[in-house]
Amino acid sequence: MICNICNKNQATIHIQEVVNGAKKSLHICQICADAKGISVTGLNGINLSELFKTVHNTIAAPQIAQKTPDSNITTQPEIIVCSSCLWDSEKLKKTGRLGCPQCYKAFSGILGYSIPSLHRGDFHVGKKPITSIQNRNDAMVDIFRLQTKLDNLVQNESYEEAAIIRDKINTLKSTIV
Amino acid sequence: MKSNFDNTGILIKKPVAWLSADSTEPQIAISSRIRLARNIANLKFPITSSDNERDYILEIISGACDKVHLFNEKLSFNMSQLSQIERKFLLERHLVSREFCSGNKGSSLFIDSDESFGLMINEEDHLRMQIFSPGIKFKALWENISQKESLLNNEIPFAFDSKLGFLTSCPTNIGTGIRVSAMLSLPALTLSTQINQIIYATGKLGMTVRGLYGEGSEALGYIYQLSNQSTLGENEEEIIGRVGSTVNRMIQHELDARTLLIQNRRDFLSDFIGRSYAIMRHSYLITEKEALNALSAIRMGLDLNMFDSLDMEKVNALFVMVQDAHLQKCLRKELKPPELDAKRAELIRKFLIN
């Protein structure tokens, strides 16, 4: 697969984002990844949505399909990254674990093969959850995101901003108790 | 709620919930357990969460448990604050998994004080709900745990996909997230070397056979844990039915193996059980493995009415007490072999004389 940014090199980093059920893919080579400061283990701080937007706006889909790999470029194993939790296919292979519920969509290509062999079917037929508490989940997700932000702020010693975030967290928590 | 550190002290005075003597039947099926894996919707799994994120997950689950009165009398254990011996003590009581013993931040165990029900929070998944019973009582356990799961689900939205079911950190648990397991004592199948064949055959039936302490452990004391391998594509009742019928078959195989041993190798069997008793009665240094194996042989001897002066309850109590962490908790000091093995032998001798 060719890099979506330079359209020349073999892509070795593959990012998938799923928004409202729609899947977006982004394939990047190591050189462009380095240029944009993207590393598989250090995607923290990169605005993925923005990245998707800028890259996708400049690429016409048929153009990607027509490109053929350059034989001079050394191919590296393809790495897929979950845009939600930044877990990647290498870690999945190493641990056999996924990083978050969204990983099931990001790694569907890999899991599509293994799930039927692990189970006696590929469709859930058992108990289903109660789904009337979506609002509460939204608040939990917001708190979780703010918690991550708070961790980073504390790490960078930005205590004033951290205090504001902590207040926000406490306010949100009071809504779900 | 009781504080963290006294709680292992509370447990040590009690027999374990999963090992109780019912003298009317041979003690082959020791206990049954059902575990459900659940995660909070749209949040990262523990493997990718930071310490603070795991603390928040603990806070959500703990709050929900209290709100819906999930426990009759809740005991809580903060794994990262427990000593290694205390964690192993909980493992020996089958209240936690080996993985949980690594004591990550935010990993907590909540149990009912009778040890029949528990939650592991921030294990591989946000939530591992477990229910235990002596003997094989899968149907009752399922009804009970399903009710508790619904109670929690009123407060906590679970990660769910209409096709893949409940989403878990490991794809081997998706769908129902259910693991139905039975702890079986199979000394005759082990002695007559049929056990590997049986394990192979149960694998073909979609079952997994593990050792005494679950995943990655060896079959100490001729005890095996049988459980379903797949969790997706069948509903909970079907899985329970399949495990139940495999357990019944295993029990029958063990009974047949005992009958064959009595018919064809009676002296060998009596000698094996008698020697095991002699080791327990007269050892001055004994390892955990040797003690558990000997006690398992004695349990079989009790099923075959070989001992007048012993009862199953006493042997079961000893079965729990001879384990490394229980022994050290009981003696209130940290010991290493050979001192630990000497203390174990001393405890067993005293126990069998009285």
Side-chain angles (χ1 to χ4, degrees):
Chain A
M1 199 160 280
I2 300 300
C3 172
N4 292 164
I5 296 177
C6 66
N7 283 326
K8 267 197 311 202
N9 300 336
Q10 188 75 20
T12 54
I13 297 174
H14 306 267
I15 306 170
Q16 272 189 350
E17 188 177 56
V18 182
V19 181
N20 297 330
K23 209 190 285 181
K24 286 181 184 173
S25 303
L26 183 59
H27 310 282
I28 314 169
C29 71
Q30 196 59 55
I31 298 163
C32 292
D34 290 345
K36 287 203 173 281
I38 302 166
S39 74
V40 174
T41 50
L43 281 162
N44 273 325
I46 302 283
N47 187 335
L48 284 176
S49 302
E50 203 53 41
L51 194 65
F52 269 100
K53 214 168 125 192
T54 52
V55 174
H56 273 276
N57 284 345
T58 56
I59 301 164
Q63 218 180 330
I64 309 167
Q66 282 162 14
K67 289 276 174 190
T68 50
D70 187 333
S71 55
N72 293 329
I73 294 163
T74 335
T75 52
Q76 288 175 27
E78 294 187 346
I79 299 169
I80 300 167
V81 181
C82 168
S83 64
S84 178
C85 71
L86 310 180
W87 196 245
D88 64 60
S89 50
E90 288 298 297
K91 289 180 190 150
L92 167 61
K93 278 180 204 157
K94 206 172 151 193
T95 62
R97 306 251 179 101
L98 296 157
C100 72
Q102 284 74 23
C103 279
Y104 278 93
K105 290 206 167 69
F107 303 119
S108 59
I110 303 169
L111 296 170
Y113 291 107
S114 60
I115 285 176
S117 67
L118 290 168
H119 296 283
R120 292 170 87 87
D122 58 1
F123 205 92
H124 177 61
V125 288
K127 189 173 181 177
K128 290 183 173 63
I130 301 158
T131 50
S132 56
I133 44 175
Q134 190 53 43
N135 291 348
R136 189 171 304 174
N137 186 222
D138 293 345
M140 285 173 183
V141 173
D142 287 344
I143 293 169
F144 206 82
R145 283 201 186 121
L146 288 171
Q147 189 73 59
T148 313
K149 202 170 172 182
L150 179 65
D151 288 349
N152 291 335
L153 289 171
V154 171
Q155 210 169 7
N156 298 330
E157 298 182 3
S158 309
Y159 298 116
E160 275 180 33
E161 226 179 312
I164 297 166
I165 299 293
R166 187 175 295 277
D167 288 346
K168 271 190 192 171
I169 291 176
N170 289 337
T171 313
L172 269 173
K173 276 183 181 172
S174 66
T175 66
I176 58 169
V177 175
Chain B
M1 192 170 75
K2 304 271 184 348
S3 70
N4 279 321
F5 287 93
D6 295 327
N7 290 343
T8 51
I10 293 172
L11 299 184
I12 197 156
K13 293 171 194 149
K14 303 194 298 181
V16 291
W18 48 268
L19 191 59
S20 100
D22 175 358
S23 56
T24 56
E25 279 179 42
Q27 299 285 300
I28 295 169
I30 298 173
S31 66
S32 30
R33 178 188 77 130
I34 291 183
R35 167 289 255 161
L36 293 177
R38 296 288 186 266
N39 287 283
I40 304 171
N42 296 310
L43 299 191
K44 289 189 281 181
F45 298 141
I47 195 169
T48 46
S49 303
S50 69
D51 287 356
N52 285 338
E53 287 166 345
R54 281 199 295 269
D55 276 341
Y56 175 55
I57 286 161
L58 174 62
E59 198 183 315
I60 296 175
I61 296 171
S62 178
C65 288
D66 293 344
K67 196 168 173 191
V68 301
H69 304 290
L70 198 67
F71 294 90
N72 294 322
E73 194 190 346
K74 179 173 147 197
L75 296 178
S76 118
F77 303 84
N78 183 336
M79 295 304 280
S80 64
Q81 285 177 28
L82 295 184
S83 70
Q84 217 174 341
I85 290 177
E86 284 163 333
R87 287 181 223 158
K88 173 116 199 304
F89 173 86
L90 296 172
L91 177 72
E92 289 175 359
R93 293 181 88 80
H94 294 267
L95 295 169
V96 296
S97 63
R98 278 151 66 98
E99 167 157 342
F100 204 58
C101 285
S102 55
N104 287 330
K105 187 99 189 341
S107 294
S108 274
L109 169 75
F110 297 161
I111 55 165
D112 246 330
S113 60
D114 66 0
E115 297 177 66
S116 63
F117 172 67
L119 294 186
M120 279 188 276
I121 298 155
N122 285 317
E123 201 243 21
E124 184 179 300
D125 295 300
H126 293 152
L127 194 56
R128 288 284 177 100
M129 195 181 264
Q130 305 194 91
I131 193 156
F132 311 90
S133 159
I136 302 299
K137 290 174 187 136
F138 292 138
K139 206 169 165 279
L141 287 184
W142 166 239
E143 279 167 15
N144 201 340
I145 199 169
S146 175
Q147 208 176 1
K148 286 177 188 290
E149 188 256 9
S150 298
L151 269 179
L152 259 193
N153 195 195
N154 279 317
E155 296 299 317
I156 303 172
F158 292 138
F160 183 81
D161 176 89
S162 56
K163 182 173 185 277
L164 296 175
F166 290 98
L167 300 177
T168 53
S169 184
C170 186
T172 53
N173 294 314
I174 50 166
T176 54
I178 198 171
R179 190 77 61 208
V180 181
S181 60
M183 199 186 289
L184 303 169
S185 172
L186 308 171
L189 282 174
T190 313
L191 278 182
S192 54
T193 65
Q194 292 176 62
I195 193 71
N196 288 337
Q197 252 173 296
I198 302 273
I199 290 174
Y200 179 76
T202 52
K204 291 264 175 204
L205 294 168
M207 300 287 149
T208 305
V209 178
R210 297 188 168 117
L212 179 61
Y213 301 120
E215 206 160 339
S217 66
E218 62 173 323
L220 280 172
Y222 313 108
I223 287 178
Y224 301 85
Q225 289 192 49
L226 176 94
S227 60
N228 59 303
Q229 214 163 36
S230 75
T231 49
L232 177 70
E234 289 171 296
N235 68 29
E236 293 83 355
E237 283 84 3
E238 286 167 327
I239 293 171
I240 286 166
R242 228 157 37 78
V243 176
S245 62
T246 313
V247 166
N248 289 340
R249 259 187 255 179
M250 298 271 273
I251 294 172
Q252 195 51 53
H253 284 309
E254 171 68 17
L255 287 171
D256 292 348
R258 288 183 185 191
T259 308
L260 272 178
L261 280 173
I262 293 164
Q263 278 172 2
N264 304 334
R265 301 169 75 192
R266 179 180 280 272
D267 290 343
F268 165 78
L269 183 64
S270 307
D271 184 68
F272 172 74
I273 295 166
R275 274 174 193 273
S276 298
Y277 180 73
I279 287 169
M280 295 297 276
R281 184 70 183 73
H282 299 291
S283 283
Y284 282 79
L285 283 174
I286 190 162
T287 63
E288 182 187 68
K289 185 177 178 175
E290 198 178 9
L292 291 174
N293 283 342
L295 281 166
S296 202
I298 293 170
R299 292 179 90 248
M300 179 163 63
L302 280 167
D303 283 342
L304 302 173
N305 298 318
M306 276 179 66
F307 302 104
D308 296 331
S309 58
L310 270 179
D311 63 71
M312 194 60 91
E313 216 166 312
K314 203 169 173 180
V315 174
N316 283 347
L318 205 48
F319 198 90
V320 176
M321 291 311 296
V322 298
Q323 297 176 99
D324 284 347
H326 271 78
L327 188 61
Q328 290 172 85
K329 281 290 290 178
C330 186
L331 297 166
R332 290 177 188 183
K333 58 179 164 181
E334 215 170 304
L335 293 170
K336 286 197 164 60
E339 209 185 342
L340 184 63
D341 295 340
K343 288 287 179 194
R344 184 171 9 243
E346 188 184 329
L347 175 112
I348 295 168
R349 288 197 314 274
K350 278 185 188 161
F351 208 88
L352 290 179
I353 290 167
N354 296 325

